[in-house]
Amino acid sequence: VQLQAYGGGLVQAGGSLRLSCAASGGTFSSYNMGWFRQAPGKEREFVSAITWSGGRTYYADSVKGRFTISRDKVKNTVYMQMKSLKPEDTAVYYCAAGLTLVVVSRGYDYWGQGTEVTVSS
């Protein structure tokens, strides 16, 4: 499975961005999909995930109520709508696909290349 993440950019605090992750080369509908992020000097952390069916979503406490993950099985794409962005959301965001656990990175087998989000204060 190949994953291509895009949609990052520079935005002011309080603004919005939508990240997309296009999947190819595999059965997209079989995979749980997740977003992780890594800020400079910090470890990669879980942000959000959606199960293969789209029936359940998971969020880190730090983004609950501000970020929304969704998936389009026709377009083989997962999205993450980010609102009310804060400077602490600044990071490289990675999408991932996996078959098991959904809130930890070891549950994912395939990773995209990352898209950078910078939130200015």
Side-chain angles (χ1 to χ4, degrees):
V1 177
Q2 290 81 47
L3 302 173
Q4 179 73 38
Y6 55 97
L10 173 64
V11 64
Q12 288 188 331
S16 300
L17 279 175
R18 187 177 79 158
L19 303 185
S20 301
C21 176
S24 61
T27 308
F28 175 73
S29 59
S30 299
Y31 290 93
N32 301 318
M33 299 296 296
W35 287 96
F36 290 76
R37 67 186 181 187
Q38 187 166 19
K42 295 188 177 180
E43 294 187 352
R44 188 174 297 188
E45 65 174 359
F46 168 76
V47 178
S48 68
I50 187 166
T51 54
W52 63 272
S53 66
R56 293 196 69 177
T57 56
Y58 303 82
Y59 297 94
D61 288 343
S62 58
V63 306
K64 245 175 225 178
R66 301 189 297 121
F67 292 10
T68 304
I69 189 171
S70 61
R71 65 190 299 162
D72 185 328
K73 292 184 179 181
V74 174
K75 295 182 178 180
N76 285 353
T77 300
V78 63
Y79 304 98
M80 186 164 69
Q81 179 69 50
M82 305 186 295
K83 298 180 179 179
S84 303
L85 283 162
K86 305 175 181 180
E88 51 264 43
D89 294 318
T90 295
V92 177
Y93 284 72
Y94 299 89
C95 62
L99 297 174
T100 55
L101 300 172
V102 295
V103 298
V104 293
S105 58
R106 68 176 183 271
Y108 294 87
D109 303 301
Y110 305 98
W111 292 82
Q113 84 292 356
T115 184
E116 189 167 4
V117 172
T118 302
V119 184
S120 63
S121 57

